[in-house]
Amino acid sequence: MAAALVPLQNITLSSNQTSVTFGSIPTSGYRDLYLVINNTLVSSGTNGVMRVNGDTGGNYNRIQMVGTGSSTSSYSASGDDAIYSWELAGTGSRGVVTMNFMDYAATDKHKTILIRSNVPAYAVVASANRWASTSAITSILLTSGGSFAAGSTFALYGVVA
Amino acid sequence: MSMTKIATATLGSDAAAISFTSIPGTFTDLMLVVSARRTGVAEAAYINFNGSSSNLTVRTLRGSGSGVSSDNRTDGYIGEQDGSNMTSNTFGNAQIYIPNYAGSTNKSFSVDSVMENNATLAYQQIHAGLWSNTAAITSITLNTYLGGNWLAGSTATLYGVTKGSLAGVTVS
């Protein structure tokens, strides 16, 4: 039976680190990418920041919904210089983020990235994001306003069509 | 293959719980996919780990078809599941992702669930969960509100997801 979810790369941080980058992502053999983050930040919880292919231009668009346990909200933005629509757990907590990069290697469409953020101490978030580029995704940068604590894990998978 | 089916539970008769035990610690993450219906009216469903319903917190976001709400809970709530007052032959669904389930840190988990109904009232929910326990997860149990029963035909499948690396792909 052919594998549907293929591990591409992973890292468990041995020390605090301000960013994690997956690079040299193959552009054939897979339809989508699936990324799982299980983390704690050194400081308090904050927005995650994600860029693909090192693009720092205003090419990121998003819509998101947030539940904090006491309130609900929805936001949208266009022309951002990164994807900011995900949340990370801060000191004393632990969160999980999953990202689906749909048709990541297609060269005839912009890229849709669906993100679920789970920070039990703060919020649950779902967002739909668009990278306005027809380039295949070959690298993913993950960072935030703080540092990822040692022990945080990041795993990237390819999804076979 | 990095996603392996560990076990499937299919209820041949009504039952109070759907359980997975003796979960091996050889995978990286767990994914649980559920299709379930209650014998009684639609109500809440809960998850617990290693037989314990303690030290669980869940933050929820729910759409009902006519409104939206968010809760902060101290239990293993994973959403409302279909029951006898919902469209017949219709089962609710949930997907629960648990990273690093066998590690020595507290266990956070992600839940997406839906209570299907061919009427205005239906629930679509997302949850951020945390089991504040550093023990490896070796069993998972799904229960319903006030000890009700799951209907025969309810199913749940547990998958193990294994991380790895492919030559050429870098991370730093």
Side-chain angles (χ1 to χ4, degrees), chain A residues 5 7-10 20-24 38 67-69 94 116 118 120-122 153, chain B residues 2 59 70 100 105 108 110-112 127 129 161-166 168-172:
Chain A
L5 191 67
L8 297 182
Q9 194 48 276
N10 71 92
V20 171
T21 300
F22 289 93
S24 300
N38 189 208
T68 66
R94 195 157 180 91
R116 281 273 286 107
N118 304 275
Y122 168 58
T153 66
Chain B
S2 79
R59 208 163 292 255
S70 183
N100 298 313
T105 60
S108 52
S110 174
V111 183
D112 290 67
H127 311 268
V161 179
T162 305
K163 65 184 180 183
S165 60
L166 187 72
V169 181
T170 63
V171 65
S172 59

PDB file of all heavy atoms in Angstrom, chain A residues 5 7-10 20-24 38 67-69 94 116 118 120-122 153, chain B residues 2 59 70 100 105 108 110-112 127 129 161-166 168-172:
ATOM      1  N   LEU A   5       0.710   9.746   3.746  1.00  0.00           N
ATOM      2  CA  LEU A   5       1.309  10.812   4.533  1.00  0.00           C
ATOM      3  C   LEU A   5       2.767  10.444   4.722  1.00  0.00           C
ATOM      4  O   LEU A   5       3.083   9.484   5.416  1.00  0.00           O
ATOM      5  CB  LEU A   5       0.590  10.927   5.878  1.00  0.00           C
ATOM      6  CG  LEU A   5       0.894  12.144   6.731  1.00  0.00           C
ATOM      7  CD1 LEU A   5       0.375  13.403   6.062  1.00  0.00           C
ATOM      8  CD2 LEU A   5       0.237  11.989   8.100  1.00  0.00           C
ATOM      9  N   PRO A   7       6.602  11.404   5.916  1.00  0.00           N
ATOM     10  CA  PRO A   7       7.402  12.343   6.709  1.00  0.00           C
ATOM     11  C   PRO A   7       8.520  12.945   5.871  1.00  0.00           C
ATOM     12  O   PRO A   7       9.244  12.226   5.195  1.00  0.00           O
ATOM     13  CB  PRO A   7       7.949  11.470   7.843  1.00  0.00           C
ATOM     14  CG  PRO A   7       7.898  10.080   7.311  1.00  0.00           C
ATOM     15  CD  PRO A   7       6.755  10.018   6.362  1.00  0.00           C
ATOM     16  N   LEU A   8       8.633  14.262   5.919  1.00  0.00           N
ATOM     17  CA  LEU A   8       9.665  14.945   5.146  1.00  0.00           C
ATOM     18  C   LEU A   8      10.819  15.398   6.018  1.00  0.00           C
ATOM     19  O   LEU A   8      11.981  15.264   5.658  1.00  0.00           O
ATOM     20  CB  LEU A   8       9.061  16.146   4.413  1.00  0.00           C
ATOM     21  CG  LEU A   8       7.995  15.830   3.370  1.00  0.00           C
ATOM     22  CD1 LEU A   8       7.526  17.113   2.696  1.00  0.00           C
ATOM     23  CD2 LEU A   8       8.515  14.851   2.333  1.00  0.00           C
ATOM     24  N   GLN A   9      10.504  15.986   7.155  1.00  0.00           N
ATOM     25  CA  GLN A   9      11.565  16.459   8.042  1.00  0.00           C
ATOM     26  C   GLN A   9      10.956  16.819   9.388  1.00  0.00           C
ATOM     27  O   GLN A   9       9.735  17.053   9.490  1.00  0.00           O
ATOM     28  CB  GLN A   9      12.288  17.679   7.432  1.00  0.00           C
ATOM     29  CG  GLN A   9      13.613  18.063   8.088  1.00  0.00           C
ATOM     30  CD  GLN A   9      14.543  16.905   8.290  1.00  0.00           C
ATOM     31  OE1 GLN A   9      14.417  16.201   9.295  1.00  0.00           O
ATOM     32  NE2 GLN A   9      15.491  16.719   7.380  1.00  0.00           N
ATOM     33  N   ASN A  10      11.790  16.872  10.412  1.00  0.00           N
ATOM     34  CA  ASN A  10      11.279  17.223  11.735  1.00  0.00           C
ATOM     35  C   ASN A  10      12.425  17.739  12.588  1.00  0.00           C
ATOM     36  O   ASN A  10      13.608  17.507  12.287  1.00  0.00           O
ATOM     37  CB  ASN A  10      10.628  16.019  12.400  1.00  0.00           C
ATOM     38  CG  ASN A  10      11.641  14.976  12.828  1.00  0.00           C
ATOM     39  OD1 ASN A  10      12.121  14.990  13.949  1.00  0.00           O
ATOM     40  ND2 ASN A  10      11.999  14.074  11.922  1.00  0.00           N
ATOM     41  N   VAL A  20      12.286  28.621  13.085  1.00  0.00           N
ATOM     42  CA  VAL A  20      12.524  27.303  12.490  1.00  0.00           C
ATOM     43  C   VAL A  20      12.223  27.429  10.997  1.00  0.00           C
ATOM     44  O   VAL A  20      11.211  28.037  10.620  1.00  0.00           O
ATOM     45  CB  VAL A  20      11.627  26.228  13.120  1.00  0.00           C
ATOM     46  CG1 VAL A  20      11.716  24.913  12.346  1.00  0.00           C
ATOM     47  CG2 VAL A  20      12.015  26.010  14.586  1.00  0.00           C
ATOM     48  N   THR A  21      13.100  26.890  10.180  1.00  0.00           N
ATOM     49  CA  THR A  21      12.898  26.954   8.726  1.00  0.00           C
ATOM     50  C   THR A  21      13.002  25.568   8.116  1.00  0.00           C
ATOM     51  O   THR A  21      13.984  24.855   8.356  1.00  0.00           O
ATOM     52  CB  THR A  21      13.950  27.868   8.067  1.00  0.00           C
ATOM     53  OG1 THR A  21      13.843  29.186   8.603  1.00  0.00           O
ATOM     54  CG2 THR A  21      13.731  27.932   6.558  1.00  0.00           C
ATOM     55  N   PHE A  22      11.991  25.204   7.354  1.00  0.00           N
ATOM     56  CA  PHE A  22      12.056  23.996   6.525  1.00  0.00           C
ATOM     57  C   PHE A  22      12.451  24.438   5.117  1.00  0.00           C
ATOM     58  O   PHE A  22      11.845  25.372   4.562  1.00  0.00           O
ATOM     59  CB  PHE A  22      10.701  23.291   6.486  1.00  0.00           C
ATOM     60  CG  PHE A  22      10.323  22.622   7.780  1.00  0.00           C
ATOM     61  CD1 PHE A  22       9.558  23.286   8.727  1.00  0.00           C
ATOM     62  CD2 PHE A  22      10.734  21.328   8.044  1.00  0.00           C
ATOM     63  CE1 PHE A  22       9.215  22.669   9.912  1.00  0.00           C
ATOM     64  CE2 PHE A  22      10.389  20.699   9.239  1.00  0.00           C
ATOM     65  CZ  PHE A  22       9.634  21.372  10.184  1.00  0.00           C
ATOM     66  N   GLY A  23      13.458  23.785   4.550  1.00  0.00           N
ATOM     67  CA  GLY A  23      13.934  24.191   3.237  1.00  0.00           C
ATOM     68  C   GLY A  23      14.102  23.007   2.310  1.00  0.00           C
ATOM     69  O   GLY A  23      13.994  21.844   2.705  1.00  0.00           O
ATOM     70  N   SER A  24      14.369  23.332   1.059  1.00  0.00           N
ATOM     71  CA  SER A  24      14.571  22.314   0.018  1.00  0.00           C
ATOM     72  C   SER A  24      13.400  21.346  -0.030  1.00  0.00           C
ATOM     73  O   SER A  24      13.585  20.131  -0.195  1.00  0.00           O
ATOM     74  CB  SER A  24      15.886  21.566   0.261  1.00  0.00           C
ATOM     75  OG  SER A  24      16.973  22.455   0.245  1.00  0.00           O
ATOM     76  N   ASN A  38       4.119  21.523  18.023  1.00  0.00           N
ATOM     77  CA  ASN A  38       3.724  21.318  19.410  1.00  0.00           C
ATOM     78  C   ASN A  38       4.727  22.114  20.245  1.00  0.00           C
ATOM     79  O   ASN A  38       5.906  21.737  20.296  1.00  0.00           O
ATOM     80  CB  ASN A  38       3.745  19.824  19.748  1.00  0.00           C
ATOM     81  CG  ASN A  38       3.151  19.499  21.097  1.00  0.00           C
ATOM     82  OD1 ASN A  38       3.527  18.519  21.724  1.00  0.00           O
ATOM     83  ND2 ASN A  38       2.214  20.290  21.585  1.00  0.00           N
ATOM     84  N   GLY A  67     -11.900  32.043  19.277  1.00  0.00           N
ATOM     85  CA  GLY A  67     -12.685  31.883  20.493  1.00  0.00           C
ATOM     86  C   GLY A  67     -11.750  31.902  21.682  1.00  0.00           C
ATOM     87  O   GLY A  67     -10.789  31.126  21.712  1.00  0.00           O
ATOM     88  N   THR A  68     -12.007  32.761  22.639  1.00  0.00           N
ATOM     89  CA  THR A  68     -11.131  32.865  23.802  1.00  0.00           C
ATOM     90  C   THR A  68     -11.716  32.195  25.035  1.00  0.00           C
ATOM     91  O   THR A  68     -11.082  32.166  26.085  1.00  0.00           O
ATOM     92  CB  THR A  68     -10.842  34.335  24.147  1.00  0.00           C
ATOM     93  OG1 THR A  68     -12.069  34.950  24.572  1.00  0.00           O
ATOM     94  CG2 THR A  68     -10.276  35.081  22.949  1.00  0.00           C
ATOM     95  N   GLY A  69     -12.920  31.701  24.911  1.00  0.00           N
ATOM     96  CA  GLY A  69     -13.602  31.151  26.069  1.00  0.00           C
ATOM     97  C   GLY A  69     -14.596  32.125  26.643  1.00  0.00           C
ATOM     98  O   GLY A  69     -15.563  31.724  27.288  1.00  0.00           O
ATOM     99  N   ARG A  94       1.188  24.711  26.750  1.00  0.00           N
ATOM    100  CA  ARG A  94       1.657  23.988  25.575  1.00  0.00           C
ATOM    101  C   ARG A  94       0.526  23.988  24.562  1.00  0.00           C
ATOM    102  O   ARG A  94      -0.633  23.748  24.912  1.00  0.00           O
ATOM    103  CB  ARG A  94       2.057  22.554  25.922  1.00  0.00           C
ATOM    104  CG  ARG A  94       2.875  21.887  24.830  1.00  0.00           C
ATOM    105  CD  ARG A  94       3.715  20.752  25.376  1.00  0.00           C
ATOM    106  NE  ARG A  94       4.495  20.096  24.354  1.00  0.00           N
ATOM    107  CZ  ARG A  94       5.741  20.436  24.013  1.00  0.00           C
ATOM    108  NH1 ARG A  94       6.342  21.442  24.625  1.00  0.00           N
ATOM    109  NH2 ARG A  94       6.383  19.781  23.068  1.00  0.00           N
ATOM    110  N   ARG A 116      -4.967  25.667  11.963  1.00  0.00           N
ATOM    111  CA  ARG A 116      -5.688  25.544  13.216  1.00  0.00           C
ATOM    112  C   ARG A 116      -4.679  25.748  14.345  1.00  0.00           C
ATOM    113  O   ARG A 116      -3.669  25.069  14.409  1.00  0.00           O
ATOM    114  CB  ARG A 116      -6.334  24.172  13.323  1.00  0.00           C
ATOM    115  CG  ARG A 116      -7.613  24.075  12.522  1.00  0.00           C
ATOM    116  CD  ARG A 116      -8.795  24.548  13.338  1.00  0.00           C
ATOM    117  NE  ARG A 116      -9.134  23.546  14.338  1.00  0.00           N
ATOM    118  CZ  ARG A 116      -8.881  23.699  15.623  1.00  0.00           C
ATOM    119  NH1 ARG A 116      -8.320  24.799  16.083  1.00  0.00           N
ATOM    120  NH2 ARG A 116      -9.232  22.747  16.480  1.00  0.00           N
ATOM    121  N   ASN A 118      -4.219  25.960  18.537  1.00  0.00           N
ATOM    122  CA  ASN A 118      -4.850  25.547  19.788  1.00  0.00           C
ATOM    123  C   ASN A 118      -3.962  25.937  20.946  1.00  0.00           C
ATOM    124  O   ASN A 118      -2.900  25.343  21.141  1.00  0.00           O
ATOM    125  CB  ASN A 118      -5.051  24.030  19.786  1.00  0.00           C
ATOM    126  CG  ASN A 118      -5.852  23.559  18.602  1.00  0.00           C
ATOM    127  OD1 ASN A 118      -7.073  23.556  18.610  1.00  0.00           O
ATOM    128  ND2 ASN A 118      -5.156  23.163  17.549  1.00  0.00           N
ATOM    129  N   PRO A 120      -4.665  26.156  24.716  1.00  0.00           N
ATOM    130  CA  PRO A 120      -5.683  25.947  25.754  1.00  0.00           C
ATOM    131  C   PRO A 120      -5.736  27.057  26.789  1.00  0.00           C
ATOM    132  O   PRO A 120      -6.786  27.322  27.356  1.00  0.00           O
ATOM    133  CB  PRO A 120      -5.254  24.612  26.367  1.00  0.00           C
ATOM    134  CG  PRO A 120      -4.507  23.916  25.275  1.00  0.00           C
ATOM    135  CD  PRO A 120      -3.783  25.005  24.546  1.00  0.00           C
ATOM    136  N   ALA A 121      -4.620  27.703  27.025  1.00  0.00           N
ATOM    137  CA  ALA A 121      -4.597  28.747  28.040  1.00  0.00           C
ATOM    138  C   ALA A 121      -5.142  30.073  27.527  1.00  0.00           C
ATOM    139  O   ALA A 121      -5.364  30.985  28.324  1.00  0.00           O
ATOM    140  CB  ALA A 121      -3.156  28.951  28.527  1.00  0.00           C
ATOM    141  N   TYR A 122      -5.383  30.159  26.232  1.00  0.00           N
ATOM    142  CA  TYR A 122      -5.766  31.460  25.692  1.00  0.00           C
ATOM    143  C   TYR A 122      -6.875  31.409  24.652  1.00  0.00           C
ATOM    144  O   TYR A 122      -7.883  32.104  24.786  1.00  0.00           O
ATOM    145  CB  TYR A 122      -4.551  32.173  25.102  1.00  0.00           C
ATOM    146  CG  TYR A 122      -4.907  33.397  24.274  1.00  0.00           C
ATOM    147  CD1 TYR A 122      -5.620  34.463  24.820  1.00  0.00           C
ATOM    148  CD2 TYR A 122      -4.568  33.471  22.918  1.00  0.00           C
ATOM    149  CE1 TYR A 122      -5.967  35.563  24.048  1.00  0.00           C
ATOM    150  CE2 TYR A 122      -4.914  34.575  22.159  1.00  0.00           C
ATOM    151  CZ  TYR A 122      -5.609  35.613  22.730  1.00  0.00           C
ATOM    152  OH  TYR A 122      -5.961  36.704  21.974  1.00  0.00           O
ATOM    153  N   THR A 153       8.422  20.959  19.218  1.00  0.00           N
ATOM    154  CA  THR A 153       8.613  20.052  18.079  1.00  0.00           C
ATOM    155  C   THR A 153       7.919  20.598  16.847  1.00  0.00           C
ATOM    156  O   THR A 153       6.865  21.225  16.933  1.00  0.00           O
ATOM    157  CB  THR A 153       8.084  18.649  18.388  1.00  0.00           C
ATOM    158  OG1 THR A 153       6.660  18.689  18.542  1.00  0.00           O
ATOM    159  CG2 THR A 153       8.707  18.077  19.641  1.00  0.00           C
TER     160      THR A 153
ATOM    161  N   SER B   2       3.935   6.830   7.225  1.00  0.00           N
ATOM    162  CA  SER B   2       4.004   7.539   8.482  1.00  0.00           C
ATOM    163  C   SER B   2       2.664   7.613   9.178  1.00  0.00           C
ATOM    164  O   SER B   2       2.587   8.149  10.277  1.00  0.00           O
ATOM    165  CB  SER B   2       4.512   8.956   8.263  1.00  0.00           C
ATOM    166  OG  SER B   2       3.478   9.772   7.772  1.00  0.00           O
ATOM    167  N   ARG B  59     -10.837  24.858  25.479  1.00  0.00           N
ATOM    168  CA  ARG B  59     -11.342  26.161  25.057  1.00  0.00           C
ATOM    169  C   ARG B  59     -12.035  25.945  23.716  1.00  0.00           C
ATOM    170  O   ARG B  59     -11.439  25.356  22.810  1.00  0.00           O
ATOM    171  CB  ARG B  59     -10.210  27.164  24.914  1.00  0.00           C
ATOM    172  CG  ARG B  59     -10.600  28.607  25.132  1.00  0.00           C
ATOM    173  CD  ARG B  59      -9.375  29.466  25.393  1.00  0.00           C
ATOM    174  NE  ARG B  59      -8.742  29.166  26.662  1.00  0.00           N
ATOM    175  CZ  ARG B  59      -8.823  29.945  27.745  1.00  0.00           C
ATOM    176  NH1 ARG B  59      -9.557  31.037  27.704  1.00  0.00           N
ATOM    177  NH2 ARG B  59      -8.180  29.612  28.846  1.00  0.00           N
ATOM    178  N   SER B  70     -18.287  30.856  22.587  1.00  0.00           N
ATOM    179  CA  SER B  70     -16.993  30.325  23.000  1.00  0.00           C
ATOM    180  C   SER B  70     -17.042  30.025  24.490  1.00  0.00           C
ATOM    181  O   SER B  70     -17.585  30.807  25.266  1.00  0.00           O
ATOM    182  CB  SER B  70     -15.879  31.328  22.690  1.00  0.00           C
ATOM    183  OG  SER B  70     -14.617  30.809  23.024  1.00  0.00           O
ATOM    184  N   ASN B 100       2.847  14.248  20.130  1.00  0.00           N
ATOM    185  CA  ASN B 100       3.764  13.834  21.200  1.00  0.00           C
ATOM    186  C   ASN B 100       3.033  13.175  22.359  1.00  0.00           C
ATOM    187  O   ASN B 100       3.329  13.455  23.540  1.00  0.00           O
ATOM    188  CB  ASN B 100       4.583  15.036  21.682  1.00  0.00           C
ATOM    189  CG  ASN B 100       5.439  15.618  20.578  1.00  0.00           C
ATOM    190  OD1 ASN B 100       6.130  14.900  19.853  1.00  0.00           O
ATOM    191  ND2 ASN B 100       5.377  16.929  20.405  1.00  0.00           N
ATOM    192  N   THR B 105       5.832  15.660  28.410  1.00  0.00           N
ATOM    193  CA  THR B 105       5.276  16.983  28.669  1.00  0.00           C
ATOM    194  C   THR B 105       3.757  16.870  28.770  1.00  0.00           C
ATOM    195  O   THR B 105       3.181  15.824  28.448  1.00  0.00           O
ATOM    196  CB  THR B 105       5.636  17.963  27.544  1.00  0.00           C
ATOM    197  OG1 THR B 105       5.109  17.467  26.302  1.00  0.00           O
ATOM    198  CG2 THR B 105       7.146  18.124  27.400  1.00  0.00           C
ATOM    199  N   SER B 108      -1.230  18.594  24.808  1.00  0.00           N
ATOM    200  CA  SER B 108      -2.220  19.446  24.162  1.00  0.00           C
ATOM    201  C   SER B 108      -2.842  18.687  23.006  1.00  0.00           C
ATOM    202  O   SER B 108      -2.221  17.772  22.447  1.00  0.00           O
ATOM    203  CB  SER B 108      -1.564  20.735  23.663  1.00  0.00           C
ATOM    204  OG  SER B 108      -0.436  20.461  22.880  1.00  0.00           O
ATOM    205  N   SER B 110      -5.948  18.949  19.596  1.00  0.00           N
ATOM    206  CA  SER B 110      -6.781  19.762  18.719  1.00  0.00           C
ATOM    207  C   SER B 110      -8.008  18.951  18.327  1.00  0.00           C
ATOM    208  O   SER B 110      -7.888  17.779  17.968  1.00  0.00           O
ATOM    209  CB  SER B 110      -5.977  20.143  17.468  1.00  0.00           C
ATOM    210  OG  SER B 110      -6.777  20.819  16.525  1.00  0.00           O
ATOM    211  N   VAL B 111      -9.192  19.569  18.381  1.00  0.00           N
ATOM    212  CA  VAL B 111     -10.432  18.882  18.048  1.00  0.00           C
ATOM    213  C   VAL B 111     -11.225  19.702  17.035  1.00  0.00           C
ATOM    214  O   VAL B 111     -11.389  20.910  17.195  1.00  0.00           O
ATOM    215  CB  VAL B 111     -11.319  18.656  19.291  1.00  0.00           C
ATOM    216  CG1 VAL B 111     -12.575  17.854  18.910  1.00  0.00           C
ATOM    217  CG2 VAL B 111     -10.543  17.939  20.385  1.00  0.00           C
ATOM    218  N   ASP B 112     -11.685  19.025  16.006  1.00  0.00           N
ATOM    219  CA  ASP B 112     -12.662  19.591  15.075  1.00  0.00           C
ATOM    220  C   ASP B 112     -13.859  18.650  15.089  1.00  0.00           C
ATOM    221  O   ASP B 112     -13.707  17.445  14.877  1.00  0.00           O
ATOM    222  CB  ASP B 112     -12.099  19.667  13.653  1.00  0.00           C
ATOM    223  CG  ASP B 112     -11.018  20.721  13.520  1.00  0.00           C
ATOM    224  OD1 ASP B 112      -9.944  20.535  14.127  1.00  0.00           O
ATOM    225  OD2 ASP B 112     -11.239  21.719  12.804  1.00  0.00           O
ATOM    226  N   HIS B 127     -11.874  23.029  19.073  1.00  0.00           N
ATOM    227  CA  HIS B 127     -11.490  23.063  20.479  1.00  0.00           C
ATOM    228  C   HIS B 127      -9.976  23.003  20.612  1.00  0.00           C
ATOM    229  O   HIS B 127      -9.306  22.292  19.851  1.00  0.00           O
ATOM    230  CB  HIS B 127     -12.051  21.849  21.231  1.00  0.00           C
ATOM    231  CG  HIS B 127     -13.494  21.590  20.998  1.00  0.00           C
ATOM    232  ND1 HIS B 127     -14.490  22.094  21.785  1.00  0.00           N
ATOM    233  CD2 HIS B 127     -14.108  20.868  20.031  1.00  0.00           C
ATOM    234  CE1 HIS B 127     -15.652  21.689  21.322  1.00  0.00           C
ATOM    235  NE2 HIS B 127     -15.457  20.946  20.266  1.00  0.00           N
ATOM    236  N   GLY B 129      -7.489  21.734  23.450  1.00  0.00           N
ATOM    237  CA  GLY B 129      -7.530  20.964  24.684  1.00  0.00           C
ATOM    238  C   GLY B 129      -6.152  20.781  25.294  1.00  0.00           C
ATOM    239  O   GLY B 129      -5.126  20.844  24.613  1.00  0.00           O
ATOM    240  N   VAL B 161       0.813   8.502  13.892  1.00  0.00           N
ATOM    241  CA  VAL B 161       1.562   9.280  12.908  1.00  0.00           C
ATOM    242  C   VAL B 161       3.014   9.317  13.351  1.00  0.00           C
ATOM    243  O   VAL B 161       3.303   9.603  14.523  1.00  0.00           O
ATOM    244  CB  VAL B 161       1.003  10.712  12.795  1.00  0.00           C
ATOM    245  CG1 VAL B 161       1.813  11.527  11.786  1.00  0.00           C
ATOM    246  CG2 VAL B 161      -0.466  10.685  12.403  1.00  0.00           C
ATOM    247  N   THR B 162       3.910   9.026  12.444  1.00  0.00           N
ATOM    248  CA  THR B 162       5.335   8.947  12.775  1.00  0.00           C
ATOM    249  C   THR B 162       6.123   9.986  11.991  1.00  0.00           C
ATOM    250  O   THR B 162       6.037  10.033  10.756  1.00  0.00           O
ATOM    251  CB  THR B 162       5.885   7.551  12.460  1.00  0.00           C
ATOM    252  OG1 THR B 162       5.088   6.572  13.146  1.00  0.00           O
ATOM    253  CG2 THR B 162       7.332   7.431  12.910  1.00  0.00           C
ATOM    254  N   LYS B 163       6.879  10.795  12.696  1.00  0.00           N
ATOM    255  CA  LYS B 163       7.714  11.786  12.032  1.00  0.00           C
ATOM    256  C   LYS B 163       8.929  11.094  11.437  1.00  0.00           C
ATOM    257  O   LYS B 163       9.254   9.950  11.748  1.00  0.00           O
ATOM    258  CB  LYS B 163       8.161  12.859  13.022  1.00  0.00           C
ATOM    259  CG  LYS B 163       9.075  12.329  14.125  1.00  0.00           C
ATOM    260  CD  LYS B 163       9.412  13.408  15.127  1.00  0.00           C
ATOM    261  CE  LYS B 163      10.321  12.850  16.222  1.00  0.00           C
ATOM    262  NZ  LYS B 163      10.604  13.856  17.266  1.00  0.00           N
ATOM    263  N   GLY B 164       9.595  11.806  10.542  1.00  0.00           N
ATOM    264  CA  GLY B 164      10.791  11.263   9.941  1.00  0.00           C
ATOM    265  C   GLY B 164      11.458  12.322   9.093  1.00  0.00           C
ATOM    266  O   GLY B 164      11.137  13.512   9.195  1.00  0.00           O
ATOM    267  N   SER B 165      12.379  11.890   8.259  1.00  0.00           N
ATOM    268  CA  SER B 165      13.076  12.822   7.391  1.00  0.00           C
ATOM    269  C   SER B 165      13.283  12.208   6.029  1.00  0.00           C
ATOM    270  O   SER B 165      13.375  10.988   5.887  1.00  0.00           O
ATOM    271  CB  SER B 165      14.422  13.210   8.004  1.00  0.00           C
ATOM    272  OG  SER B 165      15.235  12.072   8.172  1.00  0.00           O
ATOM    273  N   LEU B 166      13.324  13.069   5.033  1.00  0.00           N
ATOM    274  CA  LEU B 166      13.538  12.671   3.654  1.00  0.00           C
ATOM    275  C   LEU B 166      14.802  13.355   3.175  1.00  0.00           C
ATOM    276  O   LEU B 166      14.996  14.549   3.404  1.00  0.00           O
ATOM    277  CB  LEU B 166      12.351  13.095   2.791  1.00  0.00           C
ATOM    278  CG  LEU B 166      12.336  12.613   1.347  1.00  0.00           C
ATOM    279  CD1 LEU B 166      12.048  11.127   1.296  1.00  0.00           C
ATOM    280  CD2 LEU B 166      11.284  13.382   0.555  1.00  0.00           C
ATOM    281  N   GLY B 168      17.374  15.447   1.557  1.00  0.00           N
ATOM    282  CA  GLY B 168      17.289  16.693   0.804  1.00  0.00           C
ATOM    283  C   GLY B 168      16.486  17.769   1.488  1.00  0.00           C
ATOM    284  O   GLY B 168      16.775  18.971   1.317  1.00  0.00           O
ATOM    285  N   VAL B 169      15.484  17.393   2.268  1.00  0.00           N
ATOM    286  CA  VAL B 169      14.672  18.396   2.961  1.00  0.00           C
ATOM    287  C   VAL B 169      15.413  18.828   4.218  1.00  0.00           C
ATOM    288  O   VAL B 169      15.845  17.989   5.005  1.00  0.00           O
ATOM    289  CB  VAL B 169      13.290  17.840   3.325  1.00  0.00           C
ATOM    290  CG1 VAL B 169      12.453  18.904   4.025  1.00  0.00           C
ATOM    291  CG2 VAL B 169      12.584  17.341   2.076  1.00  0.00           C
ATOM    292  N   THR B 170      15.554  20.119   4.406  1.00  0.00           N
ATOM    293  CA  THR B 170      16.339  20.634   5.522  1.00  0.00           C
ATOM    294  C   THR B 170      15.437  21.274   6.574  1.00  0.00           C
ATOM    295  O   THR B 170      14.307  21.682   6.299  1.00  0.00           O
ATOM    296  CB  THR B 170      17.340  21.689   5.036  1.00  0.00           C
ATOM    297  OG1 THR B 170      16.597  22.809   4.493  1.00  0.00           O
ATOM    298  CG2 THR B 170      18.255  21.124   3.960  1.00  0.00           C
ATOM    299  N   VAL B 171      15.948  21.340   7.781  1.00  0.00           N
ATOM    300  CA  VAL B 171      15.283  22.093   8.844  1.00  0.00           C
ATOM    301  C   VAL B 171      16.362  22.665   9.748  1.00  0.00           C
ATOM    302  O   VAL B 171      17.371  22.010  10.015  1.00  0.00           O
ATOM    303  CB  VAL B 171      14.295  21.214   9.632  1.00  0.00           C
ATOM    304  CG1 VAL B 171      15.005  20.093  10.396  1.00  0.00           C
ATOM    305  CG2 VAL B 171      13.468  22.053  10.599  1.00  0.00           C
ATOM    306  N   SER B 172      16.154  23.893  10.176  1.00  0.00           N
ATOM    307  CA  SER B 172      17.124  24.520  11.082  1.00  0.00           C
ATOM    308  C   SER B 172      16.408  25.520  11.970  1.00  0.00           C
ATOM    309  O   SER B 172      15.289  25.931  11.682  1.00  0.00           O
ATOM    310  CB  SER B 172      18.222  25.215  10.283  1.00  0.00           C
ATOM    311  OG  SER B 172      17.650  26.198   9.426  1.00  0.00           O
TER     312      SER B 172
END
